[in-house]
């Protein structure tokens, strides 16, 4: 099969022939139809994070396709089923985190397109218990980004504790952020959006943001305090550390800030400001299988329409270059 392989962190991906993987007893072999390209795939290819990906990695964790073979212990997946892979490719099922609804924190988890090969190839493997079930009638291009961007921001928004009618700031209106605007609206929130590119802010307005700030021109704290009185929650999906520090300035007292973005780096934060205004800052990593089912259900009911443009696996290095320069509107989705 053809796949895009990371051969070295300082070299382009190589699109080449590799063997079709063989499913283990509890796994299924999936023929890919589409796969979204997440900024995490770029971090993986560049080796941006402290934990290294597997060698000769095939990235991709927004893969959507059809089951073509199953292992001999698989009981709930059948040839022909439409499924997706995910960042949470598997978890142990028995540790304290798995037992208490926090399988996303399982220390023994495998990650699709990171610790195991992902969806930038013609075939991929999924673990039966962790494959996402794709709702009937899903659009192959639109549904792919739900599998990471969608579930991640849906969970992240829940973690902000923002209630219907209250304000949330979405910082970073890329693949994750433009979908976050839509989930926030569907969850009854009012949205302020921050990015450094006017085209992204247009996208945010089209998806229902009421206030937008170009942080390369204006001070997000000043504008958002003036327009909203400070937001009750913030979801940071931006890929620059500066956005993380700026998040504090847009908050109302008692607000919760949730970090989804994962750029390498640190940000300054004032202790007095956090304590006296009782601000909560928390990280949030993808979502559980339950979050995934709920995120897909929002999509199935027509509440979410990712802005997508198609590409092929041969375009992958070009897609990464555009992503690095912040030149993608919404999500690029590879078609197989
Ligand atoms: P993307 O490249 O599609 O979007 C990033 C956006 O950030 C762009 O719109 C860019 O203009 C904007 N941006 C850059 N600098 C900014 C600044 N200073 N202020 C505001 N906005 C700024 O990336 P993506 O696919 O949406 O992923 C975003 C981040 O989220 C990545 O770091 C990715 O690894 C991470 N991620 C985390 C999770 C999780 O579970 N926590 C899941 C998926 C992705
Ligand atoms: Zn992702
Ligand atoms: Zn576990």
């Amino acid at each position: 099969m053809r796949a895009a392989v990371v051969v070295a962190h300082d070299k382009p991906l190589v699109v080449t022939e590799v063997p079709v993987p063989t499913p283990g007893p509890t796994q299924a072999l999936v023929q890919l139809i589409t796969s979204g390209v997440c900024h995490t795939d770029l971090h993986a290819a560049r080796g941006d994070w402290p934990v290294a990906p597997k060698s000769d990695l095939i990235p991709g964790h927004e893969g959507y396709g059809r089951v073509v073979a199953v292992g001999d212990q698989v009981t709930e997946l059948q040839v022909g089923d439409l499924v997706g892979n995910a960042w949470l490719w598997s978890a142990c099922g028995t540790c304290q985190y798995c037992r208490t609804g926090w399988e996303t924190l399982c220390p023994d988890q495998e990650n699709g397109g990171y610790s195991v090969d992902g969806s930038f190839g013609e075939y991929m493997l999924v673990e039966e218990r962790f494959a996402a079930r794709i709702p009937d009638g899903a659009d192959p291009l639109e549904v792919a980004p739900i599998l990471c961007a969608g579930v991640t921001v849906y969970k992240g928004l829940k973690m902000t504790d923002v209630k219907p009618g209250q304000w949330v700031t979405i910082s970073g209106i890329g693949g994750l952020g433009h979908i976050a605007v839509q989930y926030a609206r569907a969850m009854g929130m009012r949205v302020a959006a921050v990015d450094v590119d006017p085209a992204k802010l247009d996208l945010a307005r089209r998806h229902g943001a009421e206030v937008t700030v170009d942080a390369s021109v204006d001070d997000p704290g000043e504008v958002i305090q003036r327009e909203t009185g400070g937001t009750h929650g913030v979801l940071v999906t931006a890929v620059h550390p500066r956005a993380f520090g700026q998040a504090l300035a847009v908050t109302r007292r008692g607000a919760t800030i949730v970090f989804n973005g994962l750029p390498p780096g640190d940000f300054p934060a004032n202790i007095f400001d956090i304590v006296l205004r009782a601000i909560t800052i928390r990280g949030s990593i993808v979502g559980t299988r339950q979050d995934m089912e709920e995120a897909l259900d929002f999509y199935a009911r027509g509440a979410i329409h990712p802005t997508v443009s198609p590409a092929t696996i041969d375009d992958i290095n070009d897609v990464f270059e555009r992503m690095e320069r912040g030149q993608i509107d919404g999500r690029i989705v590879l078609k197989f």
Side-chain angles (χ1 to χ4, degrees), residues 259-335:
F259 291 162
N260 268 165
L262 276 162
D266 304 292
F267 68 96
N270 184 270
I271 296 166
F272 187 84
D273 185 39
I274 294 169
V275 174
L276 270 283
R277 298 196 311 121
I279 301 297
T280 300
I281 302 180
R282 43 165 68 143
S284 183
I285 176 76
V286 293
T288 61
R289 287 169 287 178
Q290 180 63 29
D291 296 316
M292 180 73 91
E293 197 175 310
E294 292 170 17
L296 283 164
D297 184 56
F298 272 77
Y299 170 75
R301 286 183 288 109
I304 312 295
H305 287 289
T307 292
V308 288
S309 22
T312 71
I313 200 177
D314 296 294
D315 304 323
I316 189 65
N317 291 305
D318 174 53
V319 172
F320 275 169
E321 248 176 73
R322 287 172 56 201
M323 183 175 269
E324 212 150 33
R325 291 199 296 265
Q327 288 173 341
I328 294 170
D329 266 357
R331 217 17 148 213
I332 304 267
V333 178
L334 307 178
K335 280 175 81 169

Side-chain angles (χ1 to χ4, degrees), residues 123-204:
Y123 294 89
M124 67 177 179
L125 295 178
V126 293
E127 195 57 57
E128 173 181 38
R129 288 178 306 128
F130 284 83
R133 297 302 198 123
I134 305 298
D136 290 342
D139 176 89
L141 289 176
E142 275 194 351
V143 78
I146 305 294
L147 297 168
C148 176
V151 67
T152 298
V153 300
Y154 171 62
K155 175 59 165 255
L157 285 164
K158 286 204 277 188
M159 298 287 287
T160 65
D161 292 328
V162 172
K163 305 285 182 295
Q166 296 184 337
W167 284 96
V168 68
T169 297
I170 314 286
S171 172
I173 308 294
L176 263 64
H178 89 287
I179 295 177
V181 174
Q182 300 177 55
Y183 275 101
R185 297 283 293 150
M187 294 158 87
M189 302 174 189
R190 303 184 69 182
V191 176
V194 180
D195 204 289
V196 289
D197 173 4
K200 309 290 170 58
L201 298 169
D202 281 347
L203 191 59

